[in-house]
Amino acid sequence: MQQHAVSNFSFPVFLMPRSFLAPLLVLPLLLVPAAALAAPATEAEMNLYTRIAAVNVCIARGAGVPFDKAVGIAGETIAQLIQGQHDGVISQVGAKPLSIDDLRKGSINSAVLGAAEICPKEVPADVMAKVQDAIKQSPDAKPAVKPATPKPATPKPATPKPNTTK
């Protein structure tokens, strides 16, 4: 077995080429913690996160995972994402960071609402009933698509009877 000797040789920094030093001067700026650069989650990002959570619930349910467990995992994933990427701040809610518990609650609710929209057959009936009630009671709920009202029948023009008298 061959052993390697450890060298105590150090290269003097002043002898390094300048093109090598420039990236080293920028390196500390790149190592700034991500939280310092975090921007609040935008409405578009929150819509994306909700969609991801909902799809995860649908996939998990299709694989036989119990609903509560599927929703809990999807909600926790989104809560951790918002905490890590946006320092817990959601622009629609305000400038104050939300606690991880508040993020979890909101993310779980979003996952349930999204799953009810994307894969309603995978959502238990009692949960779907609660979701529909919540949507009806929401102050900014949009009315459901109204069924088309039948147009009044327009009378057909009378067809002239052939003249049979001669």
Side-chain angles (χ1 to χ4, degrees), residues 18-67:
R18 287 187 185 185
S19 62
F20 184 73
L21 288 176
L24 291 177
L25 296 174
V26 175
L27 188 59
L29 297 175
L30 298 175
L31 298 177
V32 172
L37 303 175
T42 64
E43 184 176 358
E45 288 169 324
M46 291 306 297
N47 288 337
L48 174 64
Y49 301 157
T50 295
R51 191 81 171 174
I52 291 169
V55 168
N56 283 332
V57 171
C58 297
I59 292 169
R61 291 289 292 151
V65 175
F67 183 75

Side-chain angles (χ1 to χ4, degrees), residues 51-119:
R51 191 81 171 174
I52 291 169
V55 168
N56 283 332
V57 171
C58 297
I59 292 169
R61 291 289 292 151
V65 175
F67 183 75
D68 289 346
K69 192 176 217 176
V71 167
I73 292 169
E76 182 68 21
T77 301
I78 299 307
Q80 293 293 330
L81 174 65
I82 296 167
Q83 182 69 44
Q85 292 298 310
H86 305 284
D87 203 26
V89 181
I90 301 172
S91 63
Q92 294 166 289
V93 177
K96 181 181 173 193
L98 299 172
S99 71
I100 191 68
D101 288 335
D102 287 340
L103 289 171
R104 284 180 181 128
K105 289 174 190 173
S107 295
I108 288 171
N109 286 340
S110 293
V112 170
L113 292 171
E117 180 183 337
I118 295 174
C119 58

Side-chain angles (χ1 to χ4, degrees), residues 7-13:
S7 173
N8 288 336
F9 177 76
S10 66
F11 192 79
V13 174

